[in-house]
Amino acid sequence: NAGVTQTPKFQVLKTGQSMTLQCAQDMNHEYMSWYRQDPGMGLRLIHYSVGAGITDQGEVPNGYNVSRSTTEDFPLRLLSAAPSQTSVYFCASSYSWGQLANSPLHFGNGTRLTVT
Amino acid sequence: GDSVTQMEGPVTLSEEAFLTINCTYTATGYPSLFWYVQYPGEGLQLLLKATKADDKGSNKGFEATYRKETTSFHLEKGSVQVSDSAVYFCALSAQTGANNLFFGTGTRLTVIP
């Protein structure tokens, strides 16, 4: 069972470049989300989705776009990378969007992004 | 807004020592509380949870009690092992709305033999 799969594991971009971080889950989870992890700041929510075709902003959405065309996939797009987006990015999913207490988040192994 | 304040690290302990990592929260209503653990090079994994006041979550020898009167959810383990070396995150989920977790800053634990 693959769980939550993120690609790539590492990426280096130059300022202004664009890229897409991929996230796929094979658990038929309704809810998917993207977090960024920065030293001393924990994890902060970027965007989330409660089902195919539905997305919403989290705490730090600026500079990122998402879409959810299928239940399985939730890509995160950086349209014009900036050094402030250097971070480790985690995708997470859960079965039910409304009852996290009974449906914990499953995390991918992360993508380490460096923007120079 | 909802937030979590977590004990700063890093924490270094000898094997078999007692562990406490403090966590306090601010939230409206009755949030659910979680501890997640992150081993090197991996994503976060749920360690334990508590969904209402006075609940005790436990797993792998770790425990945390949901204390509404002190808005706390401190993580404890009576005897740590080298394999417990990891980063520990306290988190909360609001009572209503989507599954958005608010995380603390994380505490890095290193256990030495």
Side-chain angles (χ1 to χ4, degrees):
Chain A
N1 195 353
V4 179
T5 303
Q6 289 184 239
T7 56
K9 293 189 188 306
F10 303 94
Q11 183 70 50
V12 179
L13 292 178
K14 295 187 187 305
T15 297
Q17 287 185 316
S18 63
M19 80 158 295
T20 299
L21 281 64
Q22 301 292 343
C23 175
Q25 52 88 11
D26 61 357
M27 298 173 283
N28 199 32
H29 283 177
E30 279 188 321
Y31 176 89
M32 297 186 74
S33 56
W34 278 101
Y35 287 85
R36 59 177 290 173
Q37 181 181 23
D38 301 293
M41 304 192 73
L43 281 78
R44 292 179 293 168
L45 182 66
I46 305 172
H47 285 285
Y48 66 96
S49 168
V50 299
I54 306 170
T55 63
D56 206 346
Q57 296 181 349
E59 184 183 357
V60 288
N62 293 341
Y64 307 95
N65 281 350
V66 291
S67 60
R68 184 97 180 267
S69 56
T70 66
T71 299
E72 295 77 21
D73 299 302
F74 191 46
L76 179 71
R77 297 183 185 85
L78 284 71
L79 299 180
S80 179
S84 60
Q85 294 179 303
T86 294
S87 187
V88 180
Y89 291 84
F90 287 98
C91 180
S93 70
S94 69
Y95 181 74
S96 171
W97 67 268
Q99 296 184 18
L100 183 58
N102 296 320
S103 178
L105 283 179
H106 296 256
F107 282 82
N109 285 344
T111 295
R112 184 175 294 275
L113 174 68
T114 302
V115 182
T116 61
Chain B
D2 297 343
S3 66
V4 173
T5 301
Q6 189 174 339
M7 172 180 165
E8 294 286 335
V11 175
T12 302
L13 295 174
S14 297
E15 206 164 23
E16 299 183 3
F18 184 86
L19 169 70
T20 299
I21 301 177
N22 290 337
C23 172
T24 58
Y25 68 89
T26 300
T28 54
Y30 300 90
S32 295
L33 301 173
F34 305 83
W35 278 99
Y36 277 80
V37 59
Q38 183 181 30
Y39 298 104
E42 298 183 9
L44 281 71
Q45 304 172 23
L46 178 66
L47 180 60
L48 53 83
K49 66 178 182 182
T51 59
K52 60 183 186 295
D54 300 325
D55 264 3
K56 177 185 284 188
S58 61
N59 186 26
K60 299 182 181 179
F62 291 89
E63 293 182 341
T65 301
Y66 187 163
R67 302 282 189 203
K68 189 159 179 64
E69 64 275 15
T70 54
T71 62
S72 65
F73 193 55
H74 305 320
L75 182 68
E76 296 182 336
K77 186 173 186 183
S79 176
V80 293
Q81 305 300 313
V82 172
S83 57
D84 294 327
S85 298
V87 181
Y88 293 82
F89 291 91
C90 185
L92 74 82
S93 174
Q95 184 180 11
T96 59
N99 279 351
N100 297 332
L101 278 179
F102 295 91
F103 284 89
T105 54
T107 301
R108 181 176 299 279
L109 169 67
T110 301
V111 180
I112 54 178

